[in-house]
Amino acid sequence: MKNILLLFALILPATVLRAALITVETHDLAMVFTAEPDQKVIYQYFGAKLDDYSAFSIRRFPHWADTETENVAPELYLAYGGRSYLEPALQVTHSDGILTTQLAYSGAESKKIDANISETIIHLKDKIYPFFVDVVFKSYYKENVISQKVVINHKEAGAVTLGSMYSAYLPLHRNEPYYLTHFHGTWATEMQLTEEKLQPGIKKIESKKGVRTTQADHPSFLLSLGTPAQEDAGEVYAGSLAWSGNFSLSFQIDETGTLHILSGVNPFTSAYPLKSGDRFEMPEMIWTYGNSGKGEISRRFHDWSRNYNLQHGNDLRPILLNSWEGAYFDFNEQVLTDMMDDAADFGIELFVLDDGWFGNRYPRNNDDAGLGDWQVNTKKLPRGIDYLADYAHQKDLKFGIWIEPEMVNPESELARRHPEWIVKSGRREMPTLRHQWLLDLSNPAVQDFVYQIFVDVVNQSKNIDYIKWDANRHVENAGSSYLPADQQSRFWIDYTRGLYNVYERIRAHYPDIMIQLCSSGGGRLDFGALRFHDEFWTSDNTNPSDRVFIQYSTNHFFPAIASAAHVSTSPNHQTGIVSPLKFRFDVAMSGRLGMELQPKHIQGNERDFARQAIENYKKIRPIVQFGDLYRIASPYAEEGWTSLNYVSKDKKEAVLFAYSLKTHARTKYLEVKLKGLDSAKKYKITELNMVKGRSTFNGNGNIYSGQYLMNIGIYLN
């Protein structure tokens, strides 16, 4: 053992030496806090698990000081009040009008929920007021993920008002740069990855859309220390907020170089009154940390999501044909049954009837009428949904159907019957988007109506297996006829809570039905909504050269099993870009494969290729949907190549995807070194989806060791 000799004099108060030590641990991670009765809880550490935490019981100097200087030791949960000048996690107006809060430690408890999950609750109380804050951690031992949320209640004489109410606060003090990876976009270009070096001041990422909140910016981020994020090396923190409403992420570097991270509900026009005795629970923030790059981070989120934050996460997902781009609104029974015949011929397993099947007085023949009137259009479908669902099952296909229950067209019976259910700001104009308005889910009557829509649609046939739940607009001119005039700021939070209430009721009564999370594509892709769903619609843009980027970024946090990826007509209606059928299949097969076109338009050699590609996907489906993702080359790099591979959990099988995104000379080969294999195992290479039997790899059919494939690699033409 080597000795470290330090010469200094230090006198510490006895209370510091008796500080309580609180740890939240997984297999490889630890959060560490120190606490003293009636004093603030100090956030000491979040990082790799240690063998000994006793040193934290003496406050560290000078890393976190607690002196007369401005360098104040960070609290577990930072409230506005006292000496802090930072963006607060919590701001409260107490019942007597006082704006400040000072939280102190009042106890902690820990328990095991099961063999893998533990819960730790740290209790805080204001030093003067009967105002209570519980910070709740759940640690997922095997997945190395920690969730955090905050629960508030009080016993003050009157109501208090919550201003800022973030779910989590994380302080980091490192003498090296911080690099933030976050995601942005819009319709058809969701989840575009960008990385930047954080500078002193405040960087905010947020949404004020209320609905479709993740289509522009996303409540997930990576934070790399020292250098831009690497795939297989370096320290990376990652977080994702499980909330489908307005969110805010704040990254503040103060004058000491400390980074303060806040994540939670966006406080924008969201002051929330809380009566005495009421309980306010904030959404969960999902955390992890790793010292082996961002690939490790992604695999942890994928495992956690499949096990704990996805419906039926251990069941294979079926290959589906969706009717939308093949028929749009223009169909009848014959068109749909012919599509089912073709779907069965291709080897597809599920047929989904998209928009256009409902409305009689205001028939849904385009997107400007009928939304809200969920009765079958008898002119289009005289024998109803049950006939179609039975037909699908006779063809050995499951059957699904599209709904958009949160929305209403002005041209509908519902809009005329219940104008008070529509989101509107007093007497101001109610602007339409996609010819529709938004129903007010802060209203329990609307929640009941939306729930009943789901029940009525599913009850049309015992053979409905799948629901596609869409949401095609965001909130404008927010306001509620249901909420009191002096509590309109509750709308943003109560809408999302109302939506979750409906989801919970549906899942209680329909635990087995598959539900797709869709919102004009990826507009509601977050772990708050995803826990009620089986999959999500990644983007309306199915052009493969765009989808490569969208899926690459999306799968940083969300698993391939839930990433719906469809082969559509080329050129499709989003981009007009022509893409070979092979390219469309190869990209879609790296997620949950589906088709979204008129299948009778695929004939001849292309039809044979499509059948074979679907059969190939069935072979690799368990590896893609349950395996570990390893990113090899980024599409954002200048080389114009991108590649990734999935490896089965037992490392016996792997599948490699490689794409050329720009023209390369015939003499240019792509060198691909696979990742995640067992170096001692032997692997036979078999190329799938070959065109006319031509392989791009001259070693096709050969056997190589995992060590060779990971260190030498293969060369693709």
Side-chain angles (χ1 to χ4, degrees):
M1 182 179 70
K2 295 183 179 180
N3 295 320
I4 300 175
L5 303 178
L6 299 177
L7 300 178
F8 58 90
L10 181 64
I11 300 174
L12 295 174
T15 53
V16 173
L17 295 174
R18 293 200 300 268
L21 189 68
I22 304 167
T23 60
V24 178
E25 293 182 321
T26 69
H27 185 275
D28 297 316
L29 304 182
M31 288 180 172
V32 181
F33 313 97
T34 53
E36 303 168 50
D38 300 319
Q39 300 297 317
K40 66 183 181 181
V41 178
I42 305 302
Y43 202 132
Q44 292 281 15
Y45 175 74
F46 176 27
K49 191 174 181 178
L50 306 177
D51 294 328
D52 181 12
Y53 300 104
S54 60
F56 289 110
S57 62
I58 300 176
R59 291 180 181 168
R60 298 182 295 164
F61 291 78
H63 195 114
W64 299 130
D66 193 10
T67 68
E68 295 297 326
T69 70
E70 291 184 351
N71 185 19
V72 179
E75 300 182 47
L76 162 65
Y77 191 64
L78 185 63
Y80 173 68
R83 295 170 53 207
S84 175
Y85 54 88
L86 299 165
E87 188 86 356
L90 179 69
Q91 189 280 313
V92 179
T93 303
H94 293 277
S95 60
D96 60 1
I98 295 298
L99 301 174
T100 58
T101 301
Q102 291 182 278
L103 298 175
Y105 177 65
S106 63
E109 57 193 88
S110 210
K111 66 178 180 181
K112 288 189 71 68
I113 295 175
D114 59 32
N116 191 55
I117 305 173
S118 296
E119 182 181 74
T120 299
I121 304 175
I122 301 176
H123 301 290
L124 307 173
K125 178 190 175 299
D126 186 85
K127 289 187 174 183
I128 296 175
Y129 295 93
F131 181 88
F132 309 96
V133 173
D134 286 346
V135 183
V136 183
F137 299 93
K138 277 187 181 177
S139 58
Y140 298 84
Y141 188 80
K142 291 186 297 184
E143 292 79 12
N144 287 306
V145 164
I146 297 172
S147 74
Q148 177 181 349
K149 67 179 179 182
V150 172
V151 180
I152 293 174
N153 68 88
H154 75 95
K155 295 180 181 178
E156 298 188 26
V160 305
T161 301
L162 306 180
S164 295
M165 58 200 98
Y166 287 89
S167 296
Y169 166 60
L170 172 63
L172 296 172
H173 187 89
R174 307 293 283 269
N175 293 318
E176 52 191 339
Y178 307 102
Y179 288 87
L180 174 67
T181 299
H182 57 101
F183 307 90
H184 63 92
T186 186
W187 177 81
T189 57
E190 296 92 338
M191 290 294 282
Q192 302 299 298
L193 181 151
T194 189
E195 186 173 32
E196 60 188 280
K197 181 180 177 181
L198 289 174
Q199 302 294 339
I202 299 179
K203 164 77 176 181
K204 282 201 172 182
I205 298 166
E206 61 181 18
S207 174
K208 299 184 180 77
K209 288 186 170 184
V211 178
R212 297 197 311 174
T213 55
T214 64
Q215 201 152 57
D217 293 287
H218 204 275
S220 301
F221 68 89
L222 303 167
L223 189 76
S224 176
L225 302 185
T227 65
Q230 303 173 69
E231 196 62 41
D232 303 304
E235 289 187 87
V236 180
Y237 290 87
S240 187
L241 182 69
W243 180 244
S244 307
N246 291 345
F247 65 84
S248 179
L249 308 177
S250 173
F251 304 86
Q252 181 176 8
I253 298 180
D254 67 20
E255 62 269 30
T256 71
T258 301
L259 174 61
H260 306 267
I261 303 172
L262 295 173
S263 51
V265 172
N266 194 331
F268 170 74
T269 64
S270 292
Y272 205 93
L274 195 65
K275 293 185 295 185
S276 182
D278 282 357
R279 182 176 182 272
F280 186 92
E281 182 174 317
M282 300 177 193
E284 284 188 308
M285 182 65 180
I286 316 301
W287 292 110
T288 192
Y289 160 88
N291 53 19
S292 299
K294 64 179 184 175
E296 175 184 56
I297 298 294
S298 296
R299 290 185 289 276
R300 288 178 178 177
F301 270 99
H302 296 172
D303 285 345
W304 173 79
S305 182
R306 281 190 297 255
N307 291 333
Y308 297 105
N309 205 83
L310 189 66
Q311 294 289 313
H312 314 117
N314 295 306
D315 296 342
L316 286 172
R317 299 302 191 258
I319 303 165
L320 68 82
L321 171 65
N322 185 284
S323 71
W324 179 240
E325 290 189 37
Y328 295 104
F329 295 105
D330 186 17
F331 58 80
N332 54 31
E333 279 184 356
Q334 187 67 47
V335 169
L336 298 178
T337 55
D338 285 352
M339 293 179 79
M340 293 182 206
D341 292 342
D342 283 325
D345 178 64
F346 277 114
I348 286 169
E349 300 158 326
L350 165 65
F351 177 80
V352 179
L353 172 57
D354 210 285
D355 197 357
W357 59 267
F358 52 90
N360 287 298
R361 182 178 179 184
Y362 301 97
R364 183 71 167 173
N365 295 324
N366 48 52
D367 64 9
D368 64 6
L371 200 57
D373 302 342
W374 298 97
Q375 69 276 144
V376 178
N377 184 313
T378 54
K379 288 186 178 180
K380 288 182 180 180
L381 306 173
R383 286 180 281 189
I385 298 301
D386 191 40
Y387 170 77
L388 295 174
D390 287 350
Y391 190 93
H393 276 237
Q394 291 166 18
K395 290 289 180 178
D396 205 22
L397 297 167
K398 294 181 182 298
F399 183 81
I401 194 167
W402 178 95
I403 59 173
E404 192 178 7
E406 299 162 71
M407 310 292 170
V408 59
N409 287 128
E411 291 296 310
S412 67
E413 294 179 70
L414 178 64
R416 284 156 172 73
R417 192 167 62 248
H418 286 291
E420 77 282 4
W421 284 3
I422 296 166
V423 172
K424 54 183 177 292
S425 183
R427 293 181 288 113
R428 299 192 188 280
E429 176 193 4
M430 293 187 294
T432 59
L433 185 65
R434 201 175 181 254
H435 309 291
Q436 61 195 54
W437 291 324
L438 182 69
L439 296 178
D440 179 10
L441 274 171
S442 73
N443 185 338
V446 177
Q447 296 170 30
D448 291 342
F449 172 77
V450 172
Y451 170 74
Q452 195 60 44
I453 288 172
F454 192 97
V455 172
D456 291 346
V457 169
V458 171
N459 284 347
Q460 291 180 97
S461 173
K462 67 181 186 300
N463 289 325
I464 292 179
D465 309 285
Y466 177 104
I467 294 290
K468 177 179 178 179
W469 184 310
D470 212 341
N472 281 298
R473 70 156 300 158
H474 55 263
V475 181
E476 296 171 314
N477 271 359
S480 170
S481 299
Y482 168 76
L483 293 172
D486 61 349
Q487 296 187 26
Q488 289 293 301
S489 59
R490 286 174 43 188
F491 169 81
W492 300 103
I493 292 172
D494 285 1
Y495 182 96
T496 305
R497 286 179 165 178
L499 175 66
Y500 288 172
N501 175 56
V502 174
Y503 285 160
E504 288 168 355
R505 292 167 65 184
I506 287 170
R507 277 307 178 191
H509 289 88
Y510 299 98
D512 298 325
I513 199 164
M514 293 179 284
I515 308 177
Q516 184 187 75
L517 176 65
C518 180
S519 188
S520 293
R524 192 178 266 163
L525 176 53
D526 62 82
F527 286 119
L530 188 59
R531 67 189 172 101
F532 300 103
H533 295 77
D534 296 75
E535 63 176 27
F536 56 86
W537 183 223
T538 316
S539 175
D540 280 347
N541 186 352
T542 52
N543 175 51
S545 57
D546 296 320
R547 265 303 188 106
V548 162
F549 288 87
I550 295 170
Q551 291 172 201
Y552 172 85
S553 299
T554 298
N555 294 141
H556 273 66
F557 286 86
F558 302 95
I561 189 173
S563 305
H566 292 183
V567 175
S568 67
T569 300
S570 184
N572 66 13
H573 72 282
Q574 294 93 359
T575 65
I577 296 173
V578 177
S579 299
L581 187 62
K582 171 180 168 56
F583 188 20
R584 286 177 270 157
F585 263 103
D586 287 357
V587 172
M589 286 170 64
S590 66
R592 192 279 289 141
L593 175 65
M595 296 180 74
E596 188 135 356
L597 43 69
Q598 174 51 264
K600 71 180 180 182
H601 293 162
I602 301 179
Q603 296 296 335
N605 291 335
E606 285 198 332
R607 196 173 185 90
D608 294 336
F609 176 87
R611 287 197 196 98
Q612 186 59 57
I614 289 169
E615 187 61 32
N616 287 337
Y617 183 73
K618 291 175 182 177
K619 296 175 183 177
I620 67 170
R621 174 165 49 182
I623 311 171
V624 172
Q625 296 189 5
F626 300 138
D628 290 327
L629 168 65
Y630 293 86
R631 292 180 290 268
I632 300 171
S634 168
Y636 287 88
E638 296 180 358
E639 288 79 6
W641 299 99
T642 184
S643 56
L644 56 95
N645 66 255
Y646 294 94
V647 183
S648 62
K649 291 293 185 182
D650 61 9
K651 296 188 180 295
K652 291 182 179 179
E653 295 180 291
V655 56
L656 168 68
F657 295 88
Y659 312 104
S660 173
L661 302 179
K662 66 180 182 181
T663 302
H664 294 87
R666 291 192 177 191
T667 55
K668 178 70 173 177
Y669 284 79
L670 171 63
E671 176 187 333
V672 180
K673 295 179 181 179
L674 280 77
K675 298 179 180 180
L677 305 178
D678 184 334
S679 60
K681 283 185 167 61
K682 301 288 187 181
Y683 297 89
K684 181 180 179 180
I685 305 294
T686 303
E687 182 170 355
L688 303 178
N689 292 0
M690 291 188 294
V691 177
K692 297 180 180 178
R694 292 197 297 264
S695 175
T696 59
F697 173 53
N698 58 17
N700 191 33
N702 291 347
I703 296 174
Y704 301 87
S705 70
Q707 184 182 50
Y708 179 93
L709 293 171
M710 290 189 291
N711 289 281
I712 306 300
I714 62 176
Y715 292 83
L716 304 178
N717 187 341

